[in-house]
Amino acid sequence: MVASAGRARPAGGPAGKGSPGSGRAGEPARREGPDGAGAAPDRPVAGRVTSRDVARAAGVSQATVSLVLGDKWPGRVSERTAETVRAAARDLGYRPNLAARSLRLGRTRTVLLVVPALTTEFFARVYTGAERVAADHGFGVVLYPSPEGVGPARDPFDSARASLDGVIASSMAADALTLVRGGGLPLVMLDSDPDDAAAAATVNLDIADGARQTAGHLLALGHRRVAHLAAAVDSWTFHVRARALAEAVAGVPGAALCTEPAGLSVEEGRRAAERVLARPGRRPTALVCDDDILAAGACKAARRLGLRIPDDVSVTGFDDLALATAVEPELTTVRLPAEAVGAAGMRALMTLLEGETPQDTVLPVELVPRGSTAPPPRN
Amino acid sequence: MVASAGRARPAGGPAGKGSPGSGRAGEPARREGPDGAGAAPDRPVAGRVTSRDVARAAGVSQATVSLVLGDKWPGRVSERTAETVRAAARDLGYRPNLAARSLRLGRTRTVLLVVPALTTEFFARVYTGAERVAADHGFGVVLYPSPEGVGPARDPFDSARASLDGVIASSMAADALTLVRGGGLPLVMLDSDPDDAAAAATVNLDIADGARQTAGHLLALGHRRVAHLAAAVDSWTFHVRARALAEAVAGVPGAALCTEPAGLSVEEGRRAAERVLARPGRRPTALVCDDDILAAGACKAARRLGLRIPDDVSVTGFDDLALATAVEPELTTVRLPAEAVGAAGMRALMTLLEGETPQDTVLPVELVPRGSTAPPPRN
DNA sequence: GTGAAAGCGCTAACAT
DNA sequence: ATGTTAGCGCTTTCAC
């Protein structure tokens, strides 16, 4: 992995090349010139301070330095020497070379977080939670945004360029995980099928309950013709929404549900909603959208058709993004504890790395009623 | 402890998934005993295949393996042996140990991208562009979201746990860069003060021109009382917007500008806009917002005050996020070529790492007129 | 209590 | 054309 690069470059040029498997275009020519009279940037620039330098400065051996700085000295090194070492390290600005440590230890204290997209704050919050827990354990987190979230991920083990101790994958489409699976690394999946055999542990949101709460809210308001704007993404989290919603609606006599698929964008949401709302006759009075982005699109569709929200049609979202309160009216939506998901996921992974077996977790979600829902129109 | 957990749940048959053998460079299933039977090679369970294993399997030396897999064999190793080596590597599922390589080379082929926040797609796009270029050079990119975007960044060199060959920082607040600066690594700054001495190169958007285009658009429509909802963030990009806007407005006789600061959220944008619009007497007829999020807040404020957009008040944004077309009416805003910024930044860094001096770059931006702007009301 | 020594897996001089 | 060798900087027995 990835470690502290010390000297600028040893001598002679680096070698351009990608990973062994991929004969990628190498890096462009570099110039030689250890002897060039001119601008040879070739000096061991920051001749990085090594633990040996510290040892020398402190008048002890490298081993002692390692012991002290690794906090394993109690009972092996005298308090006084320990302090000397720490002082020397501080003075010299010593930073351990992570590559060397990783090589020696066989572990990197780095975890990869794979997310389908960078563009929504849901994943930003997942990251935040995961990072906090990781930091507590002395681990770092590297983000890997799977391109477009839906296509098969490019090889993170090559691309992230970090060697890893474990992987956390969130809300990935079913087919986007092939490579993550193959890594042979401890894997925790978030917001994903708990029965997936690839994951050693899962952390989930009670998505089904969120869908039920949404349905319950609308049904209680009196809605009987409900349309589901369903994300056209093949992942567990959306399948669950569809199923739970269908069941909830089916449980109420006289209630009917129709489903319209949509890509995850405002524009696609708008188009899907227009299709649904344009159906003559029994137009739905409520639109349940798989996320807030689709819901925003649905609102635009309604407005274009001259329908008022919530008077003529109610709209609900999912996620409670900033977008949910940016539109008018504000969206009734399901708030997901994203940070908690990230944190729980990282805890599970840490447990796993300690050789123990974490429990699968399910976190509760909460419907946030706002201005986009109301009783259906009279007629 | 910290037993490097092999696999908690052996990936048996993927329950819901088919096609296990994607034939990709992914890790082929571990072969049984490539290195001979009998003598129990006592391989430590997680024992990765090393280049030595490959050498043994191919009947050559480790050096040859390195040469072949490093694509520097032409002229030094026979085509036949090269093929043998490649085959052995493939069969064993060999993946080079990056820690070892980094240690040896003193370079990591990893770059850190520091961004102020994960929550907006602007940075997601910057990442995308940067990643693409990096991949072409055989480099990986690690993302470091500086907490909250404004506070001083925590130490990325520790936290990211990746040692780095270089750093790219985008749109950072002035005081958030201390640690990045101190890293002693080649640094490219994006959307930042080109005069900052810390950066070896900068890539900028022509933010000033964007502000001028916005001002020109509004002034041409006839607006004379303009308010600036200014991001309360101390970074170059926002200073430039303020200055250019002020100059443009000052250039038109009879035009006046007032400024209202706001934090970067819908809610704060709304409050700031309410303050501005509530001013009795000479209410501004146009609100120029430092980004689309603020603009969304401004729209909400207008609506709450019973003002119609764009009839009573015009609103403009900056960035052209998805949000810009999610609201009603859609926002007139300045589109920023985010991917191009990321790509240019990475190219500059690659140039830098090759020991040459990249040129500073300025990329053009474009005003996108939409429904949120119109001539000012008559009276 | 402290130091000496042995590598982790890789690459690049230097033999052969 | 291929093998041998010497480390990169670190942690960890094992001697003293």
Side-chain angles (χ1 to χ4, degrees), chain B residues 190-288:
Chain B
L190 313 182
D191 189 28
S192 307
D193 187 353
D195 294 330
D196 190 312
T202 60
V203 172
N204 274 316
L205 295 160
D206 198 344
I207 295 290
D209 185 56
R212 277 192 296 269
Q213 286 186 51
T214 303
H217 172 69
L218 292 169
L219 292 165
L221 285 170
H223 292 271
R224 287 301 176 268
R225 293 196 305 279
V226 178
H228 179 204
L229 253 61
V233 173
D234 177 28
S235 64
W236 177 85
T237 191
F238 295 123
H239 295 162
V240 171
R241 291 170 206 205
R243 181 149 23 92
L245 182 60
E247 285 170 8
V249 172
V252 173
L257 178 73
C258 71
T259 299
E260 184 71 28
L264 283 177
S265 71
V266 172
E267 183 57 16
E268 294 225 42
R270 183 184 59 70
R271 282 205 295 262
E274 279 180 4
R275 287 195 298 271
V276 166
L277 293 174
R279 279 180 202 154
R282 51 207 190 293
R283 175 169 67 213
T285 61
L287 262 43
V288 175

Side-chain angles (χ1 to χ4, degrees), chain A:
Chain A
M1 94 141 249
V2 154
S4 182
R7 21 192 103 299
R9 65 187 66 165
K17 49 148 308 298
S19 72
S22 75
R24 246 238 243 41
E27 74 191 59
R30 75 252 31 149
R31 61 304 198 37
E32 315 272 328
D35 43 19
D42 231 8
R43 38 176 274 89
V45 174
R48 249 311 243 274
V49 180
T50 79
S51 71
R52 251 172 74 166
D53 299 327
V54 176
R56 206 151 28 207
V60 298
S61 83
Q62 212 184 354
T64 306
V65 172
S66 180
L67 253 23
V68 171
L69 266 30
D71 259 345
K72 316 192 207 304
W73 57 278
R76 338 239 259 116
V77 176
S78 76
E79 171 60 59
R80 240 188 11 142
T81 347
E83 188 43 42
T84 316
V85 169
R86 277 190 291 258
R90 209 177 316 117
D91 290 352
L92 297 177
Y94 170 68
R95 313 193 103 264
N97 180 320
L98 263 24
R101 176 180 291 170
S102 294
L103 179 56
R104 179 66 237 252
L105 261 30
R107 293 170 302 110
T108 56
R109 298 192 92 74
T110 299
V111 166
L112 186 75
L113 177 60
V114 185
V115 298
L118 236 37
T119 36
T120 66
E121 56 208 273
F122 177 77
F123 298 110
R125 297 208 298 248
V126 169
Y127 171 86
T128 305
E131 205 280 331
R132 200 183 54 241
V133 171
D136 288 346
H137 291 252
F139 275 69
V141 181
V142 170
L143 263 177
Y144 184 74
S146 173
E148 295 315 311
V150 275
R154 275 192 287 161
D155 187 349
F157 305 107
D158 186 57
S159 158
R161 214 88 215 157
S163 299
L164 307 165
D165 289 341
V167 177
I168 300 182
S170 181
S171 319
M172 297 299 290
D175 60 349
L177 268 170
T178 326
L179 288 156
V180 175
R181 279 194 170 82
L185 289 169
L187 172 64
V188 172
M189 303 223 294
L190 312 182
D191 189 29
S192 306
D193 187 352
D195 294 330
D196 191 310
T202 61
V203 172
N204 274 316
L205 294 160
D206 198 345
I207 295 291
D209 185 56
R212 277 192 297 265
Q213 287 185 51
T214 302
H217 172 70
L218 292 169
L219 292 166
L221 285 171
H223 291 273
R224 289 298 178 269
R225 293 196 307 279
V226 177
H228 179 204
L229 253 62
V233 173
D234 178 27
S235 63
W236 177 85
T237 191
F238 294 123
H239 294 161
V240 171
R241 293 170 205 206
R243 184 148 21 93
L245 180 62
E247 284 170 7
V249 171
V252 172
L257 178 75
C258 71
T259 298
E260 187 70 29
L264 284 177
S265 71
V266 172
E267 184 57 17
E268 294 225 41
R270 183 185 59 70
R271 282 205 294 263
E274 277 180 3
R275 288 194 298 271
V276 166
L277 292 173
R279 279 178 202 153
R282 50 201 192 300
R283 175 170 66 214
T285 60
L287 262 43
V288 175
C289 305
D290 263 354
D291 79 357
D292 291 342
I293 314 232
L294 289 180
C299 292
K300 294 188 72 170
R303 210 165 280 124
R304 287 207 187 179
L305 295 171
L307 301 171
R308 289 158 307 157
I309 298 173
D311 312 87
D312 297 318
V313 58
S314 288
V315 173
T316 69
F318 228 99
D319 283 2
D320 196 21
L321 308 178
L323 180 59
T325 53
V327 298
E328 282 278 347
E330 300 187 346
L331 292 174
T332 294
T333 188
V334 176
R335 177 175 299 160
L336 307 180
E339 279 198 41
V341 171
M346 188 58 72
R347 268 193 296 271
L349 185 55
M350 293 294 119
T351 303
L352 217 47
L353 292 178
E354 281 156 17
E356 291 163 35
T357 307
Q359 293 222 290
D360 285 357
T361 310
V362 176
L363 298 168
V365 303
E366 175 197 12
L367 181 75
V368 183
R370 294 206 188 93
S372 69
T373 49
R378 283 294 163 131
N379 67 23

